[in-house]
Amino acid sequence: MSKMSIQYWKSRVFVPPTNGTTECANYCVRFSYAKQRLFFNTHSPEKDIAARRARDIYKMVTNSEDGVAKAQEMYNTRLKRNTEEGSSVRGDTVGDLIRAVTDMAVLKAITLSEYVKSFRKVVAGVSGYKVTNLSHLSQDDYEVAKKKIDKAKLADITPQKVMAWRSSSISKAVKGGEDRLRVYRSLNSCIRNASGLFARKRLKYLRNLVIIPDVLPFEDIEKLVEASTLYNGKMNALRLAGEAQAELMAKHPESYKIFLLALYCGLRVSEIDHLMWSSIDLGRKVLHVVSNKYYTPKTKDSAGEIDLADDIVDYLSGLNRETEFVIQSTRNPIVNKTSSVYRCKVAITYLSKWLRGKGVDVLKPIHELRKECGSQINKHYGLHATSVFLRHKNTSVTAAHYVDKREKVVPKFD
């Protein structure tokens, strides 16, 4: 089997024991080259990822005279298997945890960024640091605040302190005139994201790298009761579609494409932003939501095949399909982006403003088109069909947004 094959390295990577008892969190690889016995930590507890990195390490080592030095610099192991010098020392700070999760390389860049940002926000609040919003700070001030937050001990971030911070945040926000239910939703989102760093499936690896408290920071913290998420849109979709055709199709064609893909295909904005012509089969009248070199779907369940209506196929057939992306933009796509910076920001912003001017005055007006699409599917085909079409994880997710009702239901007395 070729050494350029990932399958070859899948059989070569291993998790080495340290001092005969404790296991290193990550897969490692050992091979010989130019009379040297080389050892590398792949920095991943996932075997598939580790095998790919082992293959890349081997290519780096063998492709140039200084390949060994380059590979050792890039994959400078955090845990060294050296029985003579002893085992590595585990950290116990917020920064140590963030570095350990980052080194695992099992999360999408944007997901990791959201988790880290939320956790730092919680830590800043619990520790009494007067930092309300890290994203509003200048780069210099942000680095100062980040270093201070990252020095906090994980053991000091307890569920009791987190709940006290949450209560204080609610009181301050409500006194400042903010809507209570919106505050609840924001805090629930922050805590949910922050707790993602402590996911059970990663803890067994993290405990080898970081001293994790026995009681996790967000353990047994109940979610605040939010407003109902059931969609109760009052959108007149047909009228809105007619106005979009008259006002957007000729003068703002990219915004019009986004409108159609959201309303008639139920696509998320991020899916539209990265949709490629290669994912649309006009002959079969289907659109595929799949990973490409620039984009990975929200979850594995988000991938799927969507049927296209005849009029959508006719419209798309008349467009220039020689470009890579369906939505054209002067911006280049960002690989492994850490924030929601859209390639088609100009067209997205214009459509959002246009929709608000038409009465779709919500926080995410384009996503409201996806909801209306789901509402119409549910009305005519039911909850299961809606779940499949919108590519939800299960029907429970769909049921949280739509009532399974296809015909008028009234009590009848015989």
Side-chain angles (χ1 to χ4, degrees):
M1 188 179 295
S2 170
K3 291 185 179 179
M4 293 299 106
S5 165
I6 292 177
Q7 284 300 121
Y8 173 88
W9 293 105
K10 204 168 182 178
S11 65
R12 297 297 189 277
V13 294
F14 62 96
V15 179
T18 302
N19 290 343
T21 54
T22 307
E23 287 191 344
C24 163
N26 302 315
Y27 278 95
C28 298
V29 65
R30 182 185 288 111
F31 60 87
S32 297
Y33 178 73
K35 298 182 179 180
Q36 297 181 71
R37 189 66 173 162
L38 304 175
F39 175 88
F40 294 93
N41 186 329
T42 68
H43 293 297
S44 178
E46 301 290 335
K47 195 168 188 178
D48 288 340
I49 295 174
R52 188 177 294 108
R53 290 185 179 176
R55 189 268 313 271
D56 293 343
I57 290 170
Y58 182 78
K59 286 171 65 176
M60 185 179 293
V61 166
T62 58
N63 279 353
S64 63
E65 291 183 2
D66 59 346
V68 174
K70 285 182 178 179
Q72 287 176 337
E73 181 180 357
M74 180 171 291
Y75 292 88
N76 184 24
T77 52
R78 290 176 60 81
L79 293 178
K80 294 183 179 180
R81 185 176 181 266
N82 190 324
T83 54
E84 293 181 0
E85 296 180 4
S87 61
S88 60
V89 178
R90 294 182 298 160
D92 62 352
T93 67
V94 169
D96 291 323
L97 173 72
I98 292 172
R99 283 188 290 275
V101 177
T102 302
D103 285 347
M104 282 184 170
V106 293
L107 293 170
K108 290 168 58 178
I110 192 169
T111 302
L112 176 61
S113 177
E114 286 298 321
Y115 287 0
V116 169
K117 181 172 67 176
S118 295
F119 189 45
R120 283 186 174 134
K121 179 178 179 179
V122 173
V123 174
V126 167
S127 305
Y129 303 149
K130 295 182 179 180
V131 179
T132 54
N133 195 328
L134 288 171
S135 62
H136 290 171
L137 297 177
S138 67
Q139 186 62 35
D140 290 342
D141 289 341
Y142 172 77
E143 290 300 326
V144 171
K146 188 173 73 172
K147 287 179 180 179
K148 188 176 183 181
I149 292 168
D150 286 2
K151 289 180 180 178
K153 300 290 186 181
L154 288 171
D156 293 335
I157 315 301
T158 65
Q160 292 77 16
K161 289 182 179 180
V162 172
M163 286 190 287
W165 163 77
R166 185 176 69 175
S167 297
S168 175
S169 298
I170 293 170
S171 298
K172 289 178 182 177
V174 172
K175 285 180 181 178
E178 293 187 48
D179 178 72
R180 181 180 290 273
L181 291 178
R182 179 170 289 185
V183 174
Y184 284 3
R185 185 164 55 249
S186 176
L187 288 169
N188 281 341
S189 175
C190 180
I191 290 176
R192 182 177 63 251
N193 285 337
S195 62
L197 293 175
F198 298 87
R200 298 284 179 186
K201 59 186 177 183
R202 284 188 287 276
L203 278 180
K204 62 180 180 179
Y205 301 113
L206 282 175
R207 292 189 189 280
N208 291 317
L209 296 167
V210 185
I211 299 175
I212 304 291
D214 291 335
V215 179
L216 300 177
F218 307 101
E219 196 163 313
D220 296 330
I221 294 181
E222 293 185 7
K223 179 181 176 182
L224 294 167
V225 178
E226 300 179 17
S228 171
T229 57
L230 282 175
Y231 175 67
N232 189 27
K234 299 176 182 178
M235 183 188 301
N236 185 328
L238 286 177
R239 178 178 60 79
L240 195 62
E243 292 176 348
Q245 183 176 8
E247 299 174 26
L248 298 177
M249 187 167 71
K251 294 182 179 180
H252 303 279
E254 306 313 315
S255 293
Y256 184 61
K257 291 180 203 172
I258 296 171
F259 176 89
L260 292 180
L261 291 167
L263 181 61
Y264 289 94
C265 302
L267 296 188
R268 300 176 176 91
V269 174
S270 58
E271 294 167 347
I272 296 171
D273 192 49
H274 296 89
L275 181 64
M276 305 173 93
W277 281 113
S278 58
S279 297
I280 299 177
D281 187 337
L282 294 177
R284 291 183 57 227
K285 300 181 181 180
V286 293
L287 182 155
H288 302 277
V289 179
V290 293
S291 298
N292 58 45
K293 58 185 176 181
Y294 305 112
Y295 174 73
T296 302
K298 184 178 179 182
T299 66
K300 64 180 181 180
D301 302 291
S302 298
E305 185 177 280
I306 297 170
D307 293 323
L308 297 175
D310 289 343
D311 50 352
I312 299 299
V313 171
D314 292 341
Y315 172 73
L316 293 175
S317 297
L319 298 177
N320 174 20
R321 300 196 298 279
E322 294 180 1
T323 57
E324 186 175 28
F325 293 99
V326 176
I327 312 299
Q328 297 182 37
S329 173
T330 55
R331 280 190 168 198
N332 293 322
I334 302 173
V335 181
N336 292 326
K337 63 181 183 178
T338 57
S339 61
S340 299
V341 179
Y342 294 114
R343 186 184 61 85
C344 308
K345 182 180 179 181
V346 174
I348 289 168
T349 301
Y350 185 87
L351 178 58
S352 296
K353 184 178 179 180
W354 184 86
L355 287 168
R356 290 192 178 101
K358 297 296 181 180
V360 189
D361 194 12
V362 294
L363 183 63
K364 298 179 179 179
I366 299 177
H367 194 70
E368 200 77 355
L369 298 176
R370 170 178 159 85
K371 290 182 179 180
E372 179 62 21
C373 174
S375 177
Q376 293 302 317
I377 296 289
N378 181 57
K379 177 181 177 181
H380 296 287
Y381 302 102
L383 202 63
H384 178 72
T386 308
S387 182
V388 173
F389 190 89
L390 295 179
R391 293 157 289 114
H392 286 157
K393 184 176 182 179
N394 51 50
T395 52
S396 297
V397 176
T398 315
H401 298 279
Y402 305 101
V403 176
D404 189 15
K405 173 178 174 291
R406 282 180 281 175
E407 57 184 35
K408 188 174 182 179
V409 178
V410 294
K412 294 182 180 180
F413 302 94
D414 297 327

